[in-house]
Amino acid sequence: MIFSNNISLKRLNTFGINAKCKIFCEIKHKENLKELIKSTQFKENNYLILGGGSNILFTEDYDGLIIKNEIKGIDIIEEDDKTKKIKVGAGENWHQFVLWTIKNELSGIENLALIPGNVGASPIQNIGAYGVEVKDFIDKVWTINLKNGKEKIFTNSECKFKYRDSIFKNELKDQYIILYVSFKLSKLPMLNTKYMDINNELLSLSLEKFTKHFPLEIIHNSFL
């Protein structure tokens, strides 16, 4: 386990605040995390788990340990005729993962594109946008208990998802670190266009495409 001291966090938070931390380390594998939990640096300091750095504002230097979750990987772990289950490292960028699903013709979470942050934050916050919530596609969440180092896999129901909420924000807050999240996605298109802004945009694009082929005066004359 490699620890660094007095590290700038400027590139690790979206506000670009040039705060520093007393101790810094990166977690790239679950073995790193188990080693970290046994270390004196972890036991003797306050700690903060940092993902994409998009939901935090540093107003001063952090006098403790910053744990940067850099666990990566996107793997197909199960599939049938209609769906695929994808296991994703918590350190993967969320938007880039959404683009990966689109490229691989998997449907379900495309409305959640451009949400900042990493995959590991998605079940904590139960992120949502344009009529879609990630809870409807999360299958399981792989974690490690920060007190005893034991691994635990949470099923969807065990995550206690609510609107922008989960068990990880309440009774288990700061007790577990997320390693991986698996998503059950459709091989068949299941586009959700019911949200008002999306529906209006699609109608606007349809009208624009139509008027390119039929000049407005012809359209108007057809109703005379």
Side-chain angles (χ1 to χ4, degrees), residues 1 11-13 24-30 32-33 36 49-53 66-74 88-93 117-120 177-180:
M1 191 78 243
R11 65 179 180 84
L12 301 177
N13 70 95
F24 178 86
C25 70
E26 288 187 351
I27 301 299
K28 296 186 177 181
H29 309 281
K30 67 179 181 181
N32 295 153
L33 187 56
L36 170 66
I49 300 168
L50 190 62
I66 294 286
I67 305 169
K68 183 72 170 72
N69 192 332
E70 285 290 313
I71 297 174
K72 300 293 181 67
I74 302 176
V88 188
E92 292 283 355
N93 177 270
N118 289 352
V119 168
I177 185 170
I178 293 175
L179 306 175
Y180 302 94

Side-chain angles (χ1 to χ4, degrees), residues 94 98 108-116 125-137 163-164 192-198:
W94 174 259
V98 174
I109 59 173
E110 49 276 353
N111 286 30
L112 305 182
L114 295 175
I115 292 180
Q125 179 72 9
N126 181 24
I127 58 174
Y130 302 109
V132 174
E133 289 185 290
V134 76
K135 70 178 179 63
D136 296 323
F137 302 96
Y163 181 77
R164 303 297 178 270
N192 186 335
T193 62
K194 295 179 180 179
Y195 194 83
M196 183 178 295
D197 287 349
I198 292 180

Side-chain angles (χ1 to χ4, degrees), residues 58-83:
F58 290 102
T59 58
E60 58 185 7
D61 292 345
Y62 185 74
D63 186 26
L65 170 65
I66 294 286
I67 305 169
K68 183 72 170 72
N69 192 332
E70 285 290 313
I71 297 174
K72 300 293 181 67
I74 302 176
D75 299 294
I76 299 169
I77 58 173
E78 188 179 325
E79 68 176 298
D80 55 30
D81 292 341
K82 296 182 179 180
T83 64

Side-chain angles (χ1 to χ4, degrees), residues 100-152:
W100 182 93
T101 67
I102 295 170
K103 181 179 179 180
N104 286 272
E105 299 181 343
L106 296 173
S107 185
I109 59 173
E110 49 276 353
N111 286 30
L112 305 182
L114 295 175
I115 292 180
N118 289 352
V119 168
S122 63
I124 297 174
Q125 179 72 9
N126 181 24
I127 58 174
Y130 302 109
V132 174
E133 289 185 290
V134 76
K135 70 178 179 63
D136 296 323
F137 302 96
I138 287 179
D139 178 48
K140 296 176 182 177
V141 179
W142 281 256
T143 70
I144 284 185
N145 188 304
L146 289 169
K147 292 184 178 180
N148 57 32
K150 292 184 179 180
E151 298 181 45
K152 178 174 174 57

